Amino acid sequence: MKLNQVLSHTNQVERSKFVNCIDKLCQDLKGNPDLAKQLKKIDGQLKAASGNEITQLFTLIQPLFKQHLKEQLAIGGPQASLLVNILVRDGNCIATIPWIENLYAKEYKEINELSLGLIEDIRQNESSDFERLNRLEIYLECMTTAFNNDLKANRTAKISDDERSILNVLAERLSLSREEIYALEHSVDPIPELGLESALEYLRENGIILINRRRSEVMIADEVIEVLHDVLGKELHDKYVLRILRSFSDADLSNILKNHGYKIRGIERQEKITTIAHSGLSIRNILMTDLHSEDATQNQRKDRIKQLIEDMDLEIPRIGTRLQDRIDVLIEHLRASEEEEFNILSVSGYKELLETLSPPPLSVEDRIRADFEVENKETLDPERLKALSITPLDILYLYSNDEIKALRNDMSLPRRGNPRSQIIDSFASANDKLIENYHLLACRDLQGLQSAGIEIKEADIGVKFEEATRSILEQLEMTVDEDLRKDINTAKDKADIIISLENDDIIIGEAKSFKNGEFSKYSSTSRQVKAYVKRCEANGHRVAQVLIVAPAFSDDFIDAADMDTEINISLLEASGLQKILAAYKQRRNPNFSPKLLTKGGLLKADLISKSI
């Protein structure tokens, strides 16, 4: 979840520690002209700043925030470090405190068992060769020395930021996994098994997490996770590492395991992937060394990375000539692809993909919960998955290549080309077809929709019209905030669409499909939207406008909306919204602002289209 959204889901008290942290870092960077300009906009009053303004400040002070995190993790102790390692995993950026406690207990047990096993193996090792156990012993001795250095100066034993950076380089050069590093550190500086509340409070005090007390929910913004990945030396999200591993052959996986002393005989493919992914091995080292046989030439290694890029169906125009170059472009491409992946399917397309994968034996929900550690009581709809940074392509990579090919064949898609891309394209095409026939959805023209090749039940037309409206607004790059809509909606009052603007302002949207003629039910519609406005204002948001989309409006409806003094209402015909989207797509650099929909009265789609 983006920082702006995290801030919108917490009150002033809950976000106060994060704001204080940003305020302190801003004071340390006062000489920056861009920062001074941004602070001037808010008169230096961060506590009164909007979520968007705080996000802009965070971007400017990010280098200082990174240094702040390094220092705080160095002095926060092993419990805080382990907790951060859990929170930055894909799927854990939003989680209830009881669920985090459950994940922590599981992680602690595994590290404790591994720690005991490694120490025993090191003690019994009699070899003097530079093999895995000797490398582990070297790191353990260095870790012990770094931890005990403070005792010589009569200070509390701990590993400083500088010592940590040296140990990180040593671990990388010794090809140790993150799992092994945690286990060895646990033997030197034991991780507390209990007392997680104090560790969570420590992270909150230092602006790393925010806690929604009403929901007992911990949130960590995507932007903060990226900085933490940098601090921890993680070049890629775990989900991208899994994609790479699932593109490897069994022989490739065995090479990686063998290079790190793991068993390979009698181990199933899925277990190999899980072991490598959970160990926290450097993906760069895997691609550079571990993947290849010892006698592989440089050209063979380069060709293998080229083949991997082709197998993953990545559109990278220039992959470079050196092995290092090819690994760099692969990692950078995956790092930059997340936003694009969210946009390949609309919310409705994403929802249809999940429904297609739901019947057994595919069991998409179980796989999502297992791979992304999502709590059982969590609803797995597209909006929640997006908040957890889980894209449609992430979902398809939960399945083996054979399963995906079987699904493609069941969907009667062509058998040539990348099957995951074909499946995504099929749902994108279905969504495009709905938008192309948006006017028929608005008029509830069942026969027209079926003639256009859209199989739909009449009872589902209203829901599809709402989903298509959201999709169009998303394509106009408006922030359709489903999490906020869920917060505001009750069993009685359910707004169709919430659009977040700057300064915590919002637009409430209503999509009204109507058969035969012009929409004329103003009294019932106004009662609905006024209830939504009250709910939003009670949650601390200012409603800048109410936008009603319908196939057409009666003159009485238009007049009543113009004369309503309680709320500001804009009316937009469905064909007009379709026209605005078409104009937007035709422009190379479209100039569209949500403010164009806040003029009030019946909006003139032709004028808006020309202004784009």
Side-chain angles (χ1 to χ4, degrees), residues 91 94-96 99 215 217 365 369 374-381 384-385 388 486:
I94 309 171
T96 63
W99 183 245
R215 293 181 177 179
E217 194 171 64
E365 190 167 302
R369 295 192 192 283
V374 179
E375 193 169 2
N376 287 333
K377 70 176 186 179
E378 194 74 72
T379 303
L380 296 180
D381 55 27
R384 190 60 170 182
L385 292 174
L388 294 172
K486 286 180 181 178

Side-chain angles (χ1 to χ4, degrees), residues 507-508 510 544-549 553 557 561-562 567-572 595-603:
I507 294 174
I508 295 175
E510 278 294 295
Q545 198 76 11
V546 172
L547 174 68
I548 300 175
V549 181
F553 299 93
F557 193 103
D562 284 339
I567 51 174
N568 300 319
I569 297 183
S570 293
L571 310 177
L572 182 58
K595 291 180 180 178
L596 291 170
L597 304 180
T598 63
K599 300 296 182 183
L602 183 63
L603 300 176

